[in-house]
Amino acid sequence: MDPVKPEEISHPPMDQLQGLEYCIDSNPPWGEAIALGFEHYILALGTAVMIPSFLIPMMGGDDGDKVRVVQTLLFLQGVNTLLQTLFGTRLPTVIGGSYAFIVPIISIIHDSSLTRIEDPQLRFLSTMRAVQGAIIVASSVQIILGFSQMWAICSRFFSPIGMVPVIALTGFGLFNRGFPVVGNCIEIGLPMLILFVIFSQYLKNFQFRQFPVVERFALIIALIVVWAYAHVLTASGAYKHRPHQTQVNCRTDMSNLISSAPWIKIPYPLQWGAPSFDAGHAFAMMAAVLVSLIESTGAFKAAARLASATPPPPHVLSRGIGWQGIGILLNGLFGTLSGSSVSVENIGLLGSTRVGSRRVIQISAGFMIFFSMLGKFGALFASIPFTIFAAVYCVLFGLVASIGLSFLQFTNMNSLRNLFIVGVSLFLGLSIPEYFRDFSMKALHGPAHTNAGWFNDFLNTIFLSSPMVALMVAVFLDNTLDYKETARDRGLPWWAKFRTFKGDSRNEEFYTLPFNLNRFFPPS
């Protein structure tokens, strides 16, 4: 047997991911692009419905309030996505609601000045205004860090080895929204998971008129089948005598969104009244804004790879964070009960469909804005049981996590230093948030429990985020542990050309602003 050559057992590192049908600035035909945009819109509904559905009952709101908040959040998702794809990083990223804001929002809900209000509707409005005020103030963090280019300066301390755990845990850190939620209604969630894997992977070569229809629209095909199956179970009375929580997770008629939704409703700023401001609430909310910043940083880098683009230079990354801060400010003004961050599931769908086109995401933003104003039609799609979305998350979150691991190709993984940094930061990035989560479930408060509520919320929010913990551990170790002698092991020679906008000629193709705006905002 002939000896194996080294090139036969290794793969050369590649700046851009191969195998995509359409990259960031190439566009499918209009019909296909519109259908793919609708698919991204459907996927974005999961978070847009889940966050208000969880928070509004705690605030004293009714189904009508829930519908209005869902519509408003969906409307702002569309607006913020358009702003990000046009003027921010210009990557094909959906900007959706963020779970990072839940801890400080719950703290506001339980504020004694609000809980003593007896009238439920008045308590809901007062709480909403307090949340709005906190989000408006906290948004200044991302606006300042982004547009002042301070985040660009900070990101120069990042290297491929330091970014691996951050990007990986942007996906892996969401494991509790995957199969644990599928298990709440296994008879619906498991078929959705299996069908989505079969359609997107095993039948991806099936073509209709030389078009890979099953691969492109695996999500919609599987969703239609399982949603119809769930409706049959609901109509046949399969859940009539089951516990209430089982019915909420399985039935297709429990959201009450369609009956409560108006036919036409256009969200507008300050629709809930004038925001109220409290320094403690705002400071706690700043922790959520910082978490959103870190999670979106990892998500932007994953999106660039799945769009077959080069890693965004620090200037572009900082620009995107600034516009995301503008989006959070708009969320506060309109009242969405959430801030903004990059939708991880929609990044995963770029890889699943092998279409990383910016135009597709902009079309999906149009669907979000359109259906948020046509209440009944939007509520129809929003009534899909969340278990179905969780099944898809099992695949898409894992795909995004693997993009983070793919950055290891630019580093030396025969280095014990690198193995130590990656292993410890990945483990602590999963273990510390799990400790905070488990402690909170048992004690009904976080590990940080002092007389200063804002301080408790700040620490509990920070350490509940896996990417945040991973960034703190990985970047600290990478920049303090034998950092001068290990530049090549860390992947810095490859990383260097992406540290400036003009360091690589492809950056201009991917990240230049439209309408010749670079004349007024020259890249650094």
Side-chain angles (χ1 to χ4, degrees):
M1 182 177 179
D2 296 333
V4 179
K5 299 178 182 178
E7 58 268 21
E8 294 177 345
I9 58 175
S10 63
H11 304 277
M14 306 191 77
D15 293 345
Q16 295 172 261
L17 189 66
Q18 304 299 304
L20 292 170
E21 195 73 24
Y22 298 97
C23 68
I24 182 172
D25 53 0
S26 61
N27 302 310
W30 276 105
E32 182 182 349
I34 291 171
L36 285 166
F38 182 75
E39 191 169 37
H40 276 275
Y41 156 74
I42 291 293
L43 184 61
L45 284 172
T47 300
V49 174
M50 189 61 185
I51 292 177
S53 298
F54 175 69
L55 292 174
I56 286 175
M58 300 168 63
M59 300 165 59
D62 55 25
D63 289 335
D65 297 321
K66 180 170 71 173
V67 167
R68 284 187 65 190
V69 175
V70 169
Q71 287 180 285
T72 304
L73 180 53
L74 198 59
F75 179 82
L76 264 296
Q77 282 187 187
V79 171
N80 291 336
T81 298
L82 283 178
L83 291 175
Q84 190 63 238
T85 54
L86 285 172
F87 308 117
T89 60
R90 307 216 67 217
L91 289 166
T93 49
V94 170
I95 306 299
S98 172
Y99 288 92
F101 291 78
I102 286 181
V103 170
I105 290 176
I106 289 178
S107 179
I108 294 174
I109 292 172
H110 291 152
D111 190 291
S112 58
S113 64
L114 297 169
T115 55
R116 70 168 64 106
I117 301 174
E118 295 183 1
D119 181 70
Q121 187 62 25
L122 182 58
R123 178 159 57 90
F124 167 77
L125 290 173
S126 300
T127 306
M128 173 63 82
R129 293 164 187 167
V131 171
Q132 285 183 263
I135 291 177
I136 289 170
V137 174
S139 67
S140 62
V141 173
Q142 284 195 18
I143 294 173
I144 294 171
L145 287 176
F147 290 126
S148 69
Q149 290 297 305
M150 289 176 63
W151 190 239
I153 296 171
C154 294
S155 66
R156 295 182 190 277
F157 291 96
F158 302 161
S159 72
I161 200 69
M163 281 291 97
V164 165
V166 178
I167 303 171
L169 290 184
T170 299
F172 285 145
L174 300 172
F175 68 90
N176 60 322
R177 286 174 221 149
F179 206 83
V181 180
V182 172
N184 291 335
C185 188
I186 198 72
E187 62 268 31
I188 292 175
L190 190 59
M192 182 67 192
L193 174 59
I194 293 172
L195 285 178
F196 183 61
V197 171
I198 290 174
F199 290 150
S200 65
Q201 301 303 315
Y202 290 95
L203 297 180
K204 62 183 178 182
N205 293 323
F206 176 83
Q207 296 191 351
F208 177 74
R209 296 182 178 178
Q210 298 183 330
F211 175 70
V213 62
V214 177
E215 180 189 40
R216 289 285 193 278
F217 306 112
L219 171 62
I220 290 181
I221 296 171
L223 187 145
I224 290 174
V225 172
V226 176
W227 194 14
Y229 165 62
H231 189 71
V232 169
L233 290 178
T234 300
S236 64
Y239 302 112
K240 186 176 294 185
H241 303 294
R242 301 289 292 276
H244 175 73
Q245 196 57 40
T246 301
Q247 296 191 40
V248 169
N249 290 313
C250 299
R251 293 180 67 103
T252 58
D253 58 358
M254 288 294 290
S255 64
N256 295 326
L257 291 176
I258 299 176
S259 59
S260 305
W263 282 103
I264 298 176
K265 182 71 175 180
I266 301 176
Y268 56 91
L270 307 181
Q271 59 187 341
W272 309 104
S276 59
F277 298 93
D278 180 275
H281 294 165
F283 191 82
M285 197 68 72
M286 287 180 185
V289 172
L290 288 173
V291 168
S292 164
L293 184 154
I294 300 304
E295 292 178 348
S296 292
T297 295
F300 281 137
K301 292 184 180 294
R305 193 141 184 84
L306 281 172
S308 196
T310 53
H315 165 83
V316 172
L317 189 62
S318 195
R319 187 177 73 197
I321 293 300
W323 277 103
Q324 183 170 279
I326 296 291
I328 295 174
L329 174 62
L330 292 175
N331 285 341
L333 290 171
F334 279 75
T336 62
L337 272 187
S338 176
S340 293
S341 66
V342 176
S343 171
V344 177
E345 55 268 31
N346 287 90
I347 293 176
L349 191 60
L350 299 178
S352 175
T353 60
R354 295 193 301 122
V355 176
S357 169
R358 183 189 298 123
R359 177 182 290 173
V360 167
I361 299 302
Q362 292 170 337
I363 291 173
S364 76
F367 277 116
M368 294 174 203
I369 294 172
F370 179 74
F371 283 115
S372 69
M373 293 186 291
L374 293 181
K376 293 289 186 186
F377 293 100
L380 172 64
F381 300 118
S383 64
I384 300 169
F386 189 71
T387 308
I388 293 178
F389 290 108
V392 180
Y393 294 167
C394 292
V395 176
L396 302 183
F397 289 164
L399 183 55
V400 172
S402 67
I403 291 298
L405 299 179
S406 74
F407 277 77
L408 292 172
Q409 67 183 302
F410 308 113
T411 68
N412 178 14
M413 289 313 292
N414 289 315
S415 162
L416 282 175
R417 172 196 180 275
N418 286 357
L419 292 172
F420 176 84
I421 292 173
V422 172
V424 170
S425 52
L426 279 173
F427 184 85
L428 291 180
L430 287 170
S431 187
I432 291 177
E434 183 62 21
Y435 163 72
F436 271 71
R437 197 176 295 113
D438 187 56
F439 189 101
S440 301
M441 291 289 291
K442 293 177 180 176
L444 300 181
H445 60 77
H449 188 58
T450 68
N451 292 329
W454 58 267
F455 178 77
N456 302 336
D457 295 336
F458 193 93
L459 286 185
N460 292 331
T461 301
I462 291 291
F463 289 103
L464 272 170
S465 168
S466 290
M468 187 77 177
V469 174
L471 180 113
M472 291 189 291
V473 175
V475 173
F476 174 79
L477 292 176
D478 188 40
N479 286 279
T480 58
L481 193 61
D482 300 330
Y483 66 97
K484 290 184 179 179
E485 300 84 14
T486 55
R488 185 178 178 187
D489 289 348
R490 298 164 66 195
L492 290 181
W494 171 79
W495 195 255
K497 60 185 176 182
F498 303 117
R499 287 194 166 189
T500 61
F501 189 83
K502 297 181 180 179
D504 191 288
S505 59
R506 292 167 293 182
N507 289 338
E508 185 174 353
E509 175 188 356
F510 300 139
Y511 300 115
T512 298
L513 291 171
F515 316 123
N516 207 17
L517 289 175
N518 275 53
R519 292 182 304 167
F520 308 104
F521 306 100
S524 57

